[in-house]
Amino acid sequence: MTENTSGPRRPAALNRARALPPWTLVAAGALVGGLLGGGYGLVQPAEYTATSYVVAVPTEKSDPASALGFAQAYGRVATQLAVLGDAQVWAGVPVKTLQSSVQTATSPDAPMVAITATSERPDRAADMANAVSRALTRHANDVKATTNVELQQFARATKPTAPSSASPAVTGLVGASAGGLLGGLVLLVRPRRTAAAEAGRPASVPGPAVPAEAHGQL
């Protein structure tokens, strides 16, 4: 009786895949990541950003240090409901849109507040930034007699001419980099193939030994 020592045959596609050089995994990851990133950039609508600036000016009863402190405070107040409630009238958008689309920034060295708005429409981005700037200036000047600091508009927001969001080329490049990195990590952590797996069959097992008495009877 003859023993069949050959193991189960592997699929031809699996054998061909394992015969490919290791760098193909990195290249495939970069290709897939680039396609996904570029597709995201095409589907995602472009966004435009506009920024207006207001500056805190001390009155005769105050000093520059007080103006700097109030500028920091006004930067935090600009996105509060009291200011945005007035700004929505001039911006033509609801308060929720202003809350999610407007951000402020201040400087520790200058008594200035930057009000930035983001929208899918460039004209609306400029309108929202200017509306919040106008509302903040109005609220600050209403209490000027108490704070001794006046808020003035330094620069109006202009209609942006180019989107601030990443282009499909940039998102595709980022996706390709991430895909290539992921492919490299998979290549590093994949299990090593043993010598028996390389041979394609399990190791042979020796048959039972024949007793010495059986030789004389044969």
Side-chain angles (χ1 to χ4, degrees):
M1 184 176 180
T2 306
E3 263 186 53
N4 184 12
T5 57
S6 62
R9 295 184 178 180
R10 298 177 180 177
L14 180 60
N15 291 332
R16 287 195 297 269
R18 292 188 174 182
L20 294 175
W23 59 264
T24 55
L25 185 61
V26 179
L31 178 61
V32 174
L35 293 176
L36 292 176
Y40 174 81
L42 291 174
V43 175
Q44 186 73 9
E47 291 186 343
Y48 296 85
T49 300
T51 304
S52 64
Y53 298 90
V54 294
V55 60
V57 180
T59 63
E60 296 179 355
K61 298 180 180 180
S62 185
D63 53 51
S66 298
L68 182 60
F70 275 105
Q72 303 289 330
Y74 289 142
R76 294 187 292 268
V77 172
T79 54
Q80 299 301 315
L81 186 60
V83 177
L84 298 183
D86 292 342
Q88 69 174 339
V89 179
W90 299 308
V93 296
V95 173
K96 289 185 178 180
T97 302
L98 293 174
Q99 288 176 330
S100 61
S101 304
V102 175
Q103 296 180 345
T104 61
T106 57
S107 171
D109 303 320
M112 187 174 295
V113 182
I115 301 171
T116 302
T118 303
S119 176
E120 297 177 5
R121 290 174 45 184
D123 55 340
R124 178 168 291 176
D127 290 341
M128 288 192 297
N130 289 325
V132 176
S133 174
R134 179 180 176 182
L136 179 63
T137 302
R138 179 179 175 181
H139 277 267
N141 292 338
D142 285 344
V143 293
K144 180 176 60 175
T146 303
T147 61
N148 295 318
V149 173
E150 182 182 3
L151 202 60
Q152 299 178 359
Q153 188 172 60
F154 182 79
R156 286 179 55 85
T158 59
K159 180 180 176 181
T161 58
S164 58
S165 56
S167 64
V170 175
T171 56
L173 182 60
V174 173
S177 301
L181 179 61
L182 183 60
L185 293 176
V186 173
L187 186 63
L188 290 175
V189 301
R190 69 174 183 172
R192 301 283 184 178
R193 289 180 293 179
T194 62
E198 290 288 343
R201 60 177 181 270
S204 58
V205 180
V210 180
E213 295 82 0
H215 287 284
Q217 299 175 1
L218 293 179

